[in-house]
Amino acid sequence: MSWLKSKSYSLKVGKEKVKTERMDVILKGILASNHADNIKRDLLVKIAEKGSSSQSSGTVQSVLELTAKWYLEGESKFNERAFEAKALSYVKEHPYIECLTSFAEFLLEFKECVPKGESLLHFCTNLILSLSLCSPPELENGLVTYIKSANTVASLLSQIWSSSDSLVVLGCLKEIFRIISSPCDVEPSVCLGSLVQYLPVEMISTVVKNVISDSSINNNSMVTAIQRIIDWLQWPTALYVDQWVIAFLKGLASVQKYSILITVTENKADQILPMVPKIVGDWKSDSSEFSQQLVTKLAELLHVLMYLHGGFPELYDPVYEVIKEFPKPSPDVIKFKLLESKWTAHRDGQAYVPRSYQPKAEMGKTGLFNLGNTCYMNSIIQALYMCDSFRNGLLQHQPTLEQSLVVKLQYVFAFLSLSQRPTYAPVNFLAASRPAWFSAGFQQDCSEFLKYLLDQLHEQETKYLTATGSPKSPRKDKQKTESKKTTLIEENFGGKMSTTLTCLNCRSESKKEEMFMDLPLAFPDYNTTSQKSLAGGDSKMSMRSHSSTNTVPRSTASVPPEEMNCLHLNDLLKHYLKPEKLVGDNKYYCDNCGGLQEGERKIKIVKTPEYLILTLLRFSYDTKLQSRSKIFREVKYPKTLLIPVEDESRATGSERRKRCDSLRSSVANQLEKCGLEMDIDCADVYSLCSVVVHSGTSSDCGHYYCYARHSVVTNSENVCANMQDFSHEDEMDFLQDKWYLFNDSRVSYASYGSFCNVSQRFTKDTAYVLVYRKIDAEKIGTDYKIGLDQSIQPTKIDAPLRSDLRAAVVKDNKIYLQEQESAAAKNSSRKRPNDSTWYNWKDDDDKGGGGPCGGGGGSLGDLDTSGARFVF
């Protein structure tokens, strides 16, 4: 029985085989006939459909095999055109890495299917464009597959280029440059870097020359393209990218397009610098002579670059650590290196490229856009913002119509507190606060700006208080004088100073008291007749700049700090308060004697401010050489500082005086144990809270950034309890030791140690303006109850914001959220951009930079918001 079944099955298979063979003959006959291609196709479709309905797998398989052979080996132009059209439409309509990879694998196996002739270039450009839309996966576990897939597509293009003429390769290169140079909603994927290794290296010089000489390519497009090429350095398998970057940079330098070079360098420095420590580490681990010579030259170059582009210690510290063992070039060597190849052009304002969306800094602090050399303003804003009592008082202040500047500063502080944006653009505040003599777009003196700002805020409030409280009688006038209201600026930054002039002939004295906003501290070795003048001038606090009054011989001002003795901030304070002899050309007119007499001038602080501003007179003007210079002498800036005060209003036996004396005595005694000379009878205790650092060689150039911490007194009880255990003055600290570095749009964590060492590592960086917070003996233990490890957030320690301020920030946060959602949607979208906006880059010549600028700032147009990292 089994034998019969087996025999029956064999006969059935045999019949099917014969039927299939006959079908093959029929199909071959159809294909060999002279019928039109469309008729042949219809016959094959009907046969396949009949075979499917009759459940004859052999028929369907025969049709499939024969039609595949027909397409692959046949000479029918209809088939070639049909497949080429399908190939072009497929890569155009499927910009997904999975689809492109599968199709590339198919074409790599069946090379006969690759489009030919005129369609080849069109196919390649569509494939490149679709590849540029394939963004990396969000999850890390898919990156390996993504990289392999992109390389597969690149391999297909490599084989096409190797078997094609140079016109196809040049056409593809032109398409790549169009993609990376065009502003678009969807950022071209970095996987385009996988193509570079297959591009002929010998074509680099020709392509770069043609691109640079193309007048239709504007600066914006060139900056965008080069920055995206630099981004390709991140691609794991990328080769020869560095050669393309160097070729473009050299080419641009040869035609003196320095504005493009400067913009690209500024925008990409923070991306490239983190790679340097690893590169140096790899070369150092290689014991070969070539590697050691290479890393030595690189270390020298890095020292030169960090000297030239000072002002970013948070970026440079890791680099400095890995090269500190290598010789540091001398000043003469640095100058020689800089003169070898100098980019002398300033930005032309046309190379603005909007930054990508970035999350707000993890420490919850908001940066400030640089609106064109406005780091002097940004550093002052951040320093004032971290003065917590002032910030809280300002935000709660009810301004009048006359106090327009107060309102604008309130909005800046409100956005810094509550904005979800990582960076805010204080455009309106800049327009209102910039002094009339400050030229827009040029670097200015931050100390001069600070004094002008405080003076304007004070004057606006003073006018309001005067207008609303005019006295009607002498008695009322006296009562009003006794109960005079102080302005917000007076409450926080206003101190009082007594100046006594004594005639050495008749011994008569004249005394005058006036308010001061800051103490200008000169260096003892560079004594001048004008160094004792108050920074604020008269009682109206006129903002006369003291930058040029401290005349210093150029030969001594430029002495490197390592060759000079380090001073202590106490030395500068003692020098400022030291009695001054008025002799020679500096005699003063004595009313009692009726003529010029030799005299003596003494300055005493009779009332200390809540926040003490100290300005170091580092800048000088050499009248003989008609040039500005800077004093680079090293100074020690302590965390805790004692300010001598002679306040007669403090009753000797009062409880307040006892507590003040007790705190002063404890601090002074402990500082003396730490090696400091503290010969002070009565003083107020201060803690350092903000430091504005100047990086550069003159007041009218360089860069400013700010170290700051919250000035909330949280550590007072702990300090008083453990004061006897301190062996170094830096251990005594009444504020929370959590520092931040505000550098325009960049905000990062910092430390007191980093600030103290900044001048030693970066010789052009010196502290310029310091802000100290008074430690009130009566408030010890009664201030904010915040633990030493707890984060201090303004929203937690400040009173609730006024409704209009909060509404403005909330509105902008909604807009920012919508912008983020829109950007995320565009990045996740795989649709091909409209060809007219993608290819037509000439239409963007007059558009300028776009993109959001930060809450309430409006469009920034051509302003460089990338930060004034480098000033030439």
Side-chain angles (χ1 to χ4, degrees), residues 410-474:
Q410 285 179 327
Y411 273 90
V412 173
F413 280 7
F415 273 92
L416 291 180
S417 294
L418 296 178
S419 178
Q420 294 301 312
R421 296 181 184 272
T423 311
Y424 172 74
V427 178
N428 296 329
F429 178 77
L430 172 63
S433 63
R434 182 168 52 206
W437 60 91
F438 276 22
S439 299
F442 290 88
Q443 189 61 273
Q444 305 294 341
D445 189 323
C446 77
S447 174
E448 188 176 356
F449 173 78
L450 172 61
K451 289 191 287 291
Y452 176 81
L453 173 62
L454 297 181
D455 179 62
Q456 293 300 304
L457 294 171
H458 170 74
E459 287 296 325
Q460 287 185 5
E461 189 175 359
T462 299
K463 289 180 181 179
Y464 167 73
L465 294 176
T466 303
T468 57
S470 300
K472 295 184 179 180
S473 66

Side-chain angles (χ1 to χ4, degrees), residues 3 53 58 195 232 253 273 292 344 390 440 497 558 599 614 696 701 733 766:
W3 177 82
S53 61
L195 305 178
W232 293 349
L273 277 173
Q292 295 305 311
T344 57
F390 171 66
M497 183 172 291
S558 59
L614 302 175
C701 70
D733 192 6
T766 55

Side-chain angles (χ1 to χ4, degrees), residues 270-321:
D270 51 358
Q271 174 183 323
I272 298 174
L273 277 173
M275 305 179 187
V276 172
K278 184 179 185 305
I279 295 173
V280 174
D282 292 341
W283 286 351
K284 286 168 64 177
S285 61
D286 185 355
S287 58
S288 66
E289 182 178 354
F290 175 76
S291 294
Q292 295 305 311
Q293 292 177 352
L294 197 61
V295 73
T296 302
K297 291 183 178 179
L298 177 61
E300 181 183 67
L301 175 62
L302 290 170
H303 276 298
V304 173
L305 291 176
M306 288 189 293
Y307 174 85
L308 176 63
H309 308 306
F312 278 76
E314 82 279 14
L315 288 176
Y316 297 160
D317 275 341
V319 176
Y320 189 91
E321 282 296 322

